[in-house]
Amino acid sequence: MNFTIAAFYRFVSLPDPAALRDELRAAFSEEDLCGSMLIAGEGVNGTMAGSAETIERLLDMLVEKTGLDRADVKFAHSEERPFGRLKFLVKSEIIAFRKAKVDPTQAGNYVQPQEWNALIADPEVLLLDTRNHYEADLGTFNGAIDPGIETFSDFVTYVRENLDPAKHRKVAMFCTGGIRCEKASAFMLQEGFSEVYHLKGGILKYLEEVPEQDSQWHGTCFVFDRRTSVGHKDFEAE
């Protein structure tokens, strides 16, 4: 079987996350769907795999229930089942940021993949990798700073101890699929940084849409499934 893999997130107020979990379980427990989805009062975050038809049904349901923008979904394919189980989990956050309370709906400026190279070429821009250090070890963008963090919540400490809103006036950040840097950009705005940008769709969307010959990415991108990491070649048209 050829599995379609869909990675997505959506920050949106959900008054009853448990009810949505129960609806999803009822709709897909007998299907070929696998992977994990986190559901919280702030939205949904998941990477799921299944037949093309099952993934379409799932996305249709998420569009209806959460307002998910299908254009923001990152797709990949695998000839092997990439996840062992199917999990719909209710959490307090869809991406843990324990050391600061953040309103993720008040995020920084989106930058489309096609515009990213021009932004990070600006010498006044501080380019931050918001991922964990072991992810940055596999690959990153030219000129990016690796904060060396163990968990995403450590990003709060790094920013407060190492960055200054008065000195670092333009900050651009990136992560795997866009969710971490979106929440991190909201945090930095709360901390007083005036110009904050983040890569829309994350590294995965960049690898998908920017040709390798024009790319400022080096190495591979760590992913949280059995593929381990992906690069430009994984998004080439067949």
Side-chain angles (χ1 to χ4, degrees):
M1 174 178 169
N2 185 29
F3 285 86
T4 297
I5 303 168
F8 54 85
Y9 72 90
R10 164 77 167 158
F11 284 115
V12 62
S13 178
L14 295 177
D16 193 347
L20 178 57
R21 175 202 59 197
D22 294 344
E23 286 187 68
L24 288 164
R25 282 179 175 172
F28 294 98
S29 61
E30 302 301 323
E31 301 289 341
D32 53 15
L33 193 67
C34 60
S36 299
M37 186 189 306
L38 305 184
I39 308 166
E42 66 179 11
V44 296
N45 175 25
T47 303
M48 314 292 282
S51 67
E53 294 78 11
T54 297
I55 293 297
E56 283 298 306
R57 284 186 54 236
L58 172 68
L59 295 179
D60 284 345
M61 186 170 179
L62 292 175
V63 169
E64 177 188 352
K65 300 294 183 180
T66 72
L68 177 72
D69 187 344
R70 292 179 68 103
D72 293 337
V73 180
K74 279 75 68 178
F75 292 100
H77 300 276
S78 175
E79 293 181 357
E80 298 181 357
R81 184 181 178 91
F83 305 105
R85 299 174 57 193
L86 173 63
K87 295 183 285 187
F88 296 111
L89 304 171
V90 172
K91 297 286 187 177
S92 58
E93 299 175 275
I94 58 172
I95 183 71
F97 211 54
R98 302 179 184 90
K99 298 180 181 179
K101 186 173 182 179
V102 176
D103 179 359
T105 64
Q106 303 299 313
N109 299 298
Y110 284 125
V111 181
Q112 297 293 339
Q114 297 85 354
E115 301 167 351
W116 185 248
N117 289 354
L119 174 67
I120 66 176
D122 184 344
E124 295 185 2
V125 169
L126 177 73
L127 181 59
L128 278 179
D129 192 333
T130 65
R131 302 171 301 155
N132 301 335
H133 68 89
Y134 62 84
E135 298 173 77
D137 287 344
L138 289 181
T140 193
F141 284 104
N142 284 336
I145 293 174
D146 171 16
I149 58 179
E150 294 287 340
T151 66
F152 181 50
S153 58
D154 293 336
F155 185 78
V156 173
T157 302
Y158 174 83
V159 169
R160 288 175 173 169
E161 293 183 353
N162 295 277
L163 303 183
D164 181 355
K167 179 181 178 182
H168 304 108
R169 297 183 181 275
K170 294 183 181 181
V171 180
M173 57 189 67
F174 62 92
C175 58
T176 305
I179 186 170
R180 282 179 282 183
C181 49
E182 184 160 344
K183 198 165 189 178
S185 72
F187 163 71
M188 294 194 75
L189 288 173
Q190 289 180 189
E191 292 291 298
F193 292 86
S194 57
E195 286 189 57
V196 183
Y197 304 88
H198 55 108
L199 177 59
K200 187 172 178 62
I203 300 161
L204 296 181
K205 205 67 173 177
Y206 182 91
L207 295 175
E208 179 183 347
E209 296 190 0
V210 177
E212 187 169 7
Q213 64 267 25
D214 299 329
S215 179
Q216 293 298 305
W217 175 263
H218 292 282
T220 59
C221 177
F222 182 92
V223 290
F224 296 89
D225 60 50
R226 290 174 179 172
R227 296 173 296 167
T228 305
S229 67
V230 297
H232 278 286
K233 61 180 177 58
D234 296 288
F235 296 91
E236 292 174 355
E238 297 181 358

